[in-house]
Amino acid sequence: MGTNLFDFGDPFVRELWACILPSALVIFFCATLIPAPGRVRSAWQRASHPFRNSLTLEQAEAYEAAYEKEERSFADAYTPKPVTPIFHAVILSSFALFQVIAWLGLGSYSLAVNARIWDVILPVVTSVTWLYACFRPIIWPSQTVFYDLFVLYLAHLLTGLIILGGSLFDHSVYELPLPSRISLVARVVNLSVITLLLATVSNMPFAVPSATANKDDVSKSVGPEDYCSLWDWISFHWVVPLIKKGTYNTLNEDDVWKLSPTLSSRPITSLAKDLGHTSIIWKLWAANSGDMIWDFFLTLISVTFTYAGPFFLQRILAAIEHPSPENRAKAYIYAFAAFLATVLKAETDCLHLWFGRRAQVRIRTLLMASIYDKALKRKDFSGTVRKDNTDKGAEKANDPKSSADVGKVVNMMSGDANQIAFLASGMYFIYGAPFEIAIAGVYLYNLLGLSAFSGLIVITIFWPLNQLLARRSVAISKGLLAARDKRMGVLNELLGAIKFIKFFAWEDRWIKRTMDARKKELSWMVKSRINSVLFSAIWTLAPIFVSVVSFASYIWFGHQLTVSVAFTAISLFTMIRAPLNVIPTWIVFMMQTKVALDRIQGYIDDDEVDAQVSSLKEDTEGRGSTEGLGIIKGSFKWNEVEEKGDKGKRKVTASNSGSEATSTLEEAAPERTFELRDISVVFPEGQLTVVTGPTASGKTALLMALLGEMTKLEGELVLTKNPFKVDKNGLMHCLSYAAQSPWLQHLSIKDNILFGSPLDEDRYEEVIEACALRADLDMLEDGDSTEIGARGVSLSGGQKARVAIARAVYARTKYVLLDDPLSAVDSHTATALFENLLCGPLLMNRTVVLVTHHVELVLPATAYLIRMLDGRIDAQGVPEDLRAQGVLEEITHNENVHAAEQQEAVQSKEVESPEAEALKDGVAPAKDKKKNPRKLVKDEHREEGSVKWSVYNTYLKATSYWSWAVILVLIVIQQFASFGERLWIAIWGDAYPDTSKPDSFAFPSFITSDHEFTAQSPLSASHYLNPATQHHALTHTNMSFVTQGIELPPADKHPMFYVGVFAAIGIGGGLILLLTLIVQYFAALRASKKMFKQLLDAVVHATMRWFDTTPQGRLLNRFSKDIETVDTSLAGTLNAVNNSLATFFSSILVVTVLFPFFLVPAVIIGYMYQRLAVGYLNTGRDLRRMESNSRSPIFSGFGEMLEGVVTVRAFGAEQRFMNDIHVKIDLTVRMFYNFWMLNRHLLLHFDALGGMGVLAATLFSLSGYVSAGTAGLCITSAMSFCMSVYWACRHWTALELDLNSVERIVEYLDLPQEPPSIVESCRPPAYWPSNSNEDNLLVVEDLCIRYAPDLPNVLQNVSFSLKAKERVGLLGRTGSGKSTLAMSLLRFVDPSSGRIIIDGIDICEIGVSDLRSRITFIPQDASLFSGTLRENLDPFREHDDSECLDALYRVQLITPSQHQSQRASAEASRAASLHEAEGSVSTVVSVTESETGKMKITLDTQVSAGGSNFSNGQRQLIAMARALLRRSSVIILDEATSSIDFATDAKIQATIREEFNDSLLLTVAHRLRTVIDYDRLIVLDKGQIVEFDTPYNLIQKADGTFRSMCLKSGTFSELEAAAKAKAESA
């Protein structure tokens, strides 16, 4: 026929396509129904697998159902009804049948009137396509969307519009006759029917709620995304209910619907496990390949539509400049085509960003859950010494095994996981930019020929510098991450030991230590900023040089640079400027992300405990092949990090007063020297085994080895952990464990005891009675519902121990391991525990391993006895055999000396927290069963409404107002530069002869106007021009008034003059941009430093009561995520707001002056913008605030779990903790994801409104309201206005969301503070307090203490006076107020009335630092800090090495021979110490093993965070040594020897008597024998002093409280004799 198939001007071609396109689709649909051969099918499945959604709704619901243990198959989990609703079936089939009849009728009519054969064939073939549409809903019914019918209807609609539009165009332009009226009506009816069918299909849902989701809850508590209609999903209308709810109301967590199961943590994690690969990157790809591939293709489509808009705009302007009926009609078509391209671009943007965001959410969720899962299986390295590798290079600094502490892991969860996930959502930058450059390159080649590529020379010149900066950026990134880890590690240590730090007035030292770590981090940030500025300089100026070089070579090759060529090329060069920026920036970001990925991968690859230890690991050997509990020929060592290349030696860094020395040691820390050797023991089934031995002999290590928490060197661990195996007594073959330092969760007492086990009321009550908790629960107002604060802050030490014992006993486990629980309780409780628990029915038939020094007490029930000595079993056997061998007497010799003392201990071990005594004060009120228990820790505060001006002001003040004044001036200059660039282009065009006036071009850049970019992205705002300035209206406008009086050369003869000036303007604008960036970075760094310091000061100096009621995770959240926001994105966001507002106002000015008619639609569109923006801003702000708050429980729970991971694994409770983290992750991701879905909704509607604005401006221009010469400027001005409104809203919203972090920081700047550290007007003298004072040294007058105005007094009218050098014991039962009195002497609580006078000075008149630094407090639970033992003993270097060694010797930490040898070594090395910092001489003394295996402790022994590489007893001895060094005139001692063996304790008591002779010693006593020879005793009861006298007088007092205590002890005569001897010697 000779007809061109793509000549849509031909009516026949239009009708042919209307038949071919639907027919081809139907043929394809039918072909897919034909079964393919097996090989073809399998090949297709393999090829299409990466394109599929890896986690469908059916799979996700099945995973959830499997977890809930519901008997439901894959199909049962997702069971839509197999029939289509009658309504849909009737409409779809009926109207399709109508179409079949109509088209067949048309074909028959054509045949009857002898029309052309094609007029018969085409309608008949078309009717066949409608026949498919008719039968499809009937033969293959479905409740969900018919995607094939949707595509088919779309094809019919498109071709129908082309046919109808073509007829109207031919009639209006070529004056061809219209089709008959019947034909026109038929075409309109056809389009109406198709539209109705499309609407019907579009209204069908994606999925039908299964049994797991209630249909009525959709859009309420159940997310509508999975179940919404196709139209709601395409238009993102499914988020509207949330927007409506959040626009005028403050959203709460319950107002936000749950995540789709396909985005929930548990199904995603389950899918990753089923994939079965160890590589994180492989798992991430396998789980998200479909989303990322679709993101890729949709991005390319979006780029295409990006160019379609300028393409149509160019033709519109060309049609306006050459008016004719045809051009005018085409201009209208182009106008609507441009609008359609804008809408389609917005839709493809939304879709590709949705796929990317879904991948981001899944990746982030998977990484966070994987890190948590790994922590539950990873070996416990808490005792390893942290190495500060920040300055050693990137490789060591980021070795996850070197220091994977809480701080670093929190960084991985918050920072690294987010960075990797963000890469997935931003990958479109990487493949979108090259595609855009390729399109622009083709245009440039067609325009300039080979000259277009001469600019590559510039790229080649800049590329080596770019590579250098890229490599430097990666190194900087590693250093920054390591510095951030170090800072978080120091902060975690500081916050964990804040009470101890306050005891010693070390706040300023720790603030300095933290700020030193922060200073290193900021130095890396400065390097990063400098690198970023250099990057920006290269890629801001390079495109300008590229264009200049290309123009120069074009002219050099003999071509004439005409206006059309120059202007078009400038538009294209301007357009590729942003993608050229993006490529290197994202390459750097990818390399930085690789660093983060390697860190996580290294952590994931870390050593794990054996399968028989962790319930999360599959044990192919059946979870312990040997029955029982024991060790056979085993040797064990503490877990240690095996560094690469280690063969017995390794590098260890010791930090000493700011200098670093590196030494090669055989062993560098005590935890790496101690080993259990030649252990062979099988514990008797169903009986009690007692393990005893001196301090640091390996008792706890033996239990750790039994739990699988030590590295096995040889032998076999006999351990059975199988919860599904139950013996005849109903006991599971599992372990329960009570640690020496009790680990409790931040839950109620009852929940801690149950620990996830189902409640059995009878058993629970038996456990309460057996563990002697009944009296304590009766005393507490809320009973067992009392909330336990972080680290058990609301309970005393004894109560914590008994709750831990109750937890171990309540669990129905066959094996029970108890680590020295009796040392934490008083004599009555110890006896009760022995009689009711150890000898009671609850432990009957259970294998119990008890570590204790109290052998004599438990010996009657002991079936097997083990004595540990220096890491070996020194003796073991049944007590009778050991007695026969004479070993038992030796074991019990020391205990016999102290047995009576233990029987008369007066109270439980307790440094009672203020909260505990506040709860227990006086007589507990009658409990109201209906009353909700009091919450110790309140829900985290969340602001409401818009961000307050005070928050803005705080940040602006921190950055300096002058910085922003300079930035605003630079922004104004930048706007003038942008205007000057446009002005020069206009002058340039005017300089050509009149015969060569330019056409008009406008090319916006895809990358710069992309709606996903925010200042939160890794791309600094400096890498982009402002999107609103990217649309250059390159139209001819007479600019002679500008150049009047100035003689400019003609542009056709001197084109390089104009090119040069244009380049100069561009370079000037680029330099202004760089200068703005530098000032912005300066301001941001200033704010980062200042706000961090303010936050740190406020937190460290907050009251202890505030710490008791604030989870550590909230603090870590602010110091990690919120500070990171201030560090990175906030200043950029604020700068972007300033830029977008400046562009917005300049756009309004241009529109008002040049195009006043547009103000009418602009007002309407602006109003609609405002309505959308308000809903988005209000709802998004609440979601972001809730997201910030929901992160805190993740960090709190994670830190809490890491501290108790040994206990968690011992109980086999890992899966329950995983379930808990799944819930917490889902909550924070729910807020995050829904926020971005709001963003998608905003993007689509803003872009559609922008398209409408441009369409309105175009229609105005085509209607003749503006001249042809200014039409292009009007259209592009309207475009600029719409874009500026959009970006102003986006950036303002981003600013409000970023300021949420500042808001949260500001909240903590106003915490309740302790009294001033120093009161300059009232500084005590240097000798204060003086032990030479003959008068009373300590006077307490009418002291009353309460913890809050609404709480009763804990101490009431307490008065007493103590003399210098006097030794006074402080006694009283639980809740009597002892702890409060001791704390009040250090001003942890100020008196509500009365006063405390020390050496003549009222302590409330001086600073707390002056007070606490002059008084020594020795707590029970000693805290140690990372560093050397020397630094822990003497952090301020106030004593020499010999004094420190003497202190260690006096507390029995080193032997006499070690003492002498180390003193000699210290003297010898003192002269060389000046050269140690150079690294050539090592000052670290090797920690070696003696022949017995006992470690040797030196001053240079490394201490891990918290001192976890020392036993409890050793930590208490170190705390005692610290006090010996301090030699204060007033010493408060909370008897801290409960974890020490009795022989060592006796020596320490002698040391206390000898060393503290010159001090006033106030001892919070736990044993009567300890204080029976003191000068006086204070006995408290219910907050009042009931007795105060010498021990002898008190013991002689009839009916006296102290006498009663002594009588109950069973050793009254011995105590009386001791008291009498003391009285006689006085």
Side-chain angles (χ1 to χ4, degrees), residues 159-220:
T159 53
L161 287 172
I162 290 175
I163 290 175
L164 181 59
S167 300
L168 297 176
F169 180 82
D170 291 342
H171 175 71
S172 62
V173 174
Y174 304 116
E175 298 183 353
L176 295 178
L178 284 170
S180 64
R181 183 173 298 178
I182 295 177
S183 179
L184 281 176
V185 171
R187 292 183 192 280
V188 171
V189 171
N190 175 51
L191 292 174
S192 302
V193 170
I194 295 172
T195 303
L196 176 62
L197 291 172
L198 263 176
T200 303
V201 172
S202 300
N203 200 40
M204 296 183 71
F206 276 121
V208 177
S210 65
T212 61
N214 189 339
K215 185 177 180 180
D216 296 334
D217 292 335
V218 175
S219 295
K220 296 176 183 175

Side-chain angles (χ1 to χ4, degrees), residues 962-984:
W962 284 107
S963 299
W964 289 105
V966 172
I967 288 174
L968 289 174
V969 170
L970 291 174
I971 288 173
V972 172
I973 296 174
Q974 190 177 334
Q975 290 296 320
F976 277 109
S978 175
F979 177 75
E981 190 176 47
R982 300 186 208 181
L983 182 65
W984 183 253

Side-chain angles (χ1 to χ4, degrees), residues 393-407:
E395 293 180 350
K396 284 286 184 183
N398 285 278
D399 178 9
K401 300 182 181 182
S402 65
S403 56
D405 55 12
V406 176

Side-chain angles (χ1 to χ4, degrees), residues 283-405:
K283 281 186 177 182
L284 297 181
W285 168 254
N288 299 281
S289 59
D291 289 340
M292 299 179 76
I293 290 173
W294 279 111
D295 183 27
F296 170 78
F297 285 115
L298 287 169
T299 297
L300 300 188
I301 294 172
S302 177
V303 173
T304 305
F305 280 126
T306 299
Y307 282 81
F311 173 83
F312 289 127
L313 183 58
Q314 180 183 355
R315 276 150 182 76
I316 291 170
L317 297 177
I320 292 175
E321 291 184 357
H322 303 90
S324 69
E326 182 176 358
N327 284 345
R328 186 181 183 83
K330 287 182 178 180
Y332 278 104
I333 294 175
Y334 292 144
F336 284 99
F339 171 72
L340 182 62
T342 300
V343 174
L344 290 177
K345 179 192 179 321
E347 184 62 41
T348 52
D349 277 342
C350 278
L351 293 180
H352 91 75
L353 293 173
W354 177 80
F355 279 112
R357 191 61 63 183
R358 187 166 72 165
Q360 178 187 8
V361 164
R362 286 178 171 175
I363 290 173
R364 179 184 174 193
T365 297
L366 178 58
L367 288 175
M368 292 177 73
S370 297
I371 292 170
Y372 195 90
D373 176 75
K374 179 66 181 186
L376 287 167
K377 296 184 292 189
R378 181 176 181 266
K379 284 186 176 181
D380 181 20
F381 292 104
S382 59
T384 57
V385 177
R386 178 186 174 91
K387 307 183 192 71
D388 180 10
N389 293 319
T390 304
D391 299 324
K392 288 180 143 187
E395 293 180 350
K396 284 286 184 183
N398 285 278
D399 178 9
K401 300 182 181 182
S402 65
S403 56
D405 55 12

